Amino acid sequence: MKLTDISKIYRIGTEKVVALENINLEIPKGEICCILGTSGSGKSTLLNLMAGLERPTKGNIKIKGKNIERMSENSLAKFRQNYVGFVFQSYNLLPALTAVENVSLPLIFRGVGKKTRNERAKKLLAQVGLEKHLKHKPNQMSGGQQQRVGIARAFVGKPEIIFADEPTGNLDSKTTIEVMKLITGIARENNQTLIIVTHDVNIAKYADRIVYILDGNIEKIEKTVSAEGEIV
């Protein structure tokens, strides 16, 4: 992924609000990158632009050599369907569906048969420690268990890029560690690019690089020694 001179300006009445200004960033395949910043820093806007959920006011965003800001909405939807997974802070599970059904949902849109998608969903749920919760619905699971379902759903389609937006924001410290080890472990195992957006420096330490965002600008970029090591 390569971002070149990215800016995002919102117009509120006659006022202009600059959310991001001249962002330049490259993220190589297989890297775990953390976008770190406080509320209002522009980090969530940056995630939305990289995921193609919003379009930049100016600049280019290339993923797999394609300028996603030039794609039509239909092309973008297909691109995300084939190459992108999401882990959300609020889990975003469908309450009427079981764990297996929630995880297998993205595969329906790819035309994968029911038997195959259920097998893949069960395998992922076992990998995240939920083999005994396959038929449980979200209201029958804890927050940590729901987030594990969300992780399995994000990875079930074997996307090349996973975006994790404050993935542990609703979890206690013990569950946070478990979830971060899960997300980063699966991504590393499959050489997937993982982009984590957070305000928590402890979460950032699981990444290969930390991109600090302040007032819509990249303040600095730091590498970490290891996935859980000290910052250089």
Side-chain angles (χ1 to χ4, degrees):
M1 180 183 297
K2 184 176 182 180
L3 285 70
T4 306
D5 296 330
I6 289 295
S7 293
K8 181 64 177 178
I9 300 170
Y10 296 100
R11 295 187 181 275
I12 303 173
T14 57
E15 288 188 31
K16 289 197 301 184
V17 178
V18 179
L20 294 170
E21 188 171 19
N22 294 325
I23 298 290
N24 290 280
L25 180 65
E26 276 194 66
I27 301 174
K29 179 175 172 55
E31 180 177 84
I32 297 177
C33 179
C34 178
I35 311 296
L36 181 68
T38 57
S39 177
S41 61
K43 63 184 187 299
S44 293
T45 300
L46 183 56
L47 180 144
N48 289 341
L49 293 176
M50 289 191 289
L53 300 174
E54 292 186 56
R55 297 182 188 272
T57 305
K58 73 163 194 163
N60 304 109
I61 302 171
K62 277 192 176 183
I63 301 178
K64 293 178 64 65
K66 296 180 180 179
N67 285 93
I68 66 167
E69 82 283 351
R70 297 177 188 171
M71 290 183 182
S72 68
E73 290 300 329
N74 283 342
S75 296
L76 263 176
K78 288 178 182 176
F79 187 86
R80 285 193 295 266
Q81 185 177 305
N82 290 325
Y83 300 112
V84 177
F86 291 93
V87 180
F88 303 96
Q89 177 179 346
S90 54
Y91 322 134
N92 284 13
L93 304 178
L94 295 181
L97 301 186
T98 64
V100 168
E101 290 167 339
N102 265 293
V103 172
S104 65
L105 193 61
L107 300 179
I108 293 176
F109 301 106
R110 290 194 185 183
V112 178
K114 186 174 181 180
K115 183 181 177 183
T116 302
R117 67 177 184 256
N118 282 349
E119 285 174 356
R120 282 167 67 174
K122 288 174 182 177
K123 183 179 178 182
L124 256 296
L125 285 165
Q127 192 171 349
V128 299
L130 292 178
E131 59 272 12
K132 295 180 180 179
H133 299 270
L134 302 181
K135 295 184 178 180
H136 287 195
K137 292 182 179 179
N139 65 0
Q140 297 171 308
M141 293 182 281
S142 68
Q145 289 169 337
Q146 289 184 63
Q147 189 57 297
R148 287 168 185 261
V149 175
I151 291 166
R153 179 184 57 192
F155 283 93
V156 73
K158 299 179 181 177
E160 294 189 32
I161 304 168
I162 297 94
F163 293 100
D165 189 5
E166 297 281 9
T168 61
N170 291 332
L171 306 176
D172 60 51
S173 56
K174 179 177 179 292
T175 310
T176 289
I177 293 169
E178 293 171 356
V179 163
M180 288 309 302
K181 286 182 176 179
L182 268 175
I183 297 175
T184 54
I186 297 173
R188 289 188 193 284
E189 183 182 332
N190 297 299
N191 194 33
Q192 291 161 299
T193 306
L194 174 60
I195 298 169
I196 305 163
V197 170
T198 185
H199 66 278
D200 187 345
V201 70
N202 293 313
I203 299 302
K205 291 178 183 178
Y206 286 85
D208 300 316
R209 279 194 305 162
I210 304 172
V211 178
Y212 292 81
I213 296 286
L214 181 67
D215 297 332
N217 294 280
I218 294 178
E219 185 183 24
K220 59 180 177 178
I221 299 176
E222 291 181 337
K223 288 187 176 181
T224 56
V225 173
S226 67
E228 299 174 53
E230 295 179 359
I231 300 171
V232 177

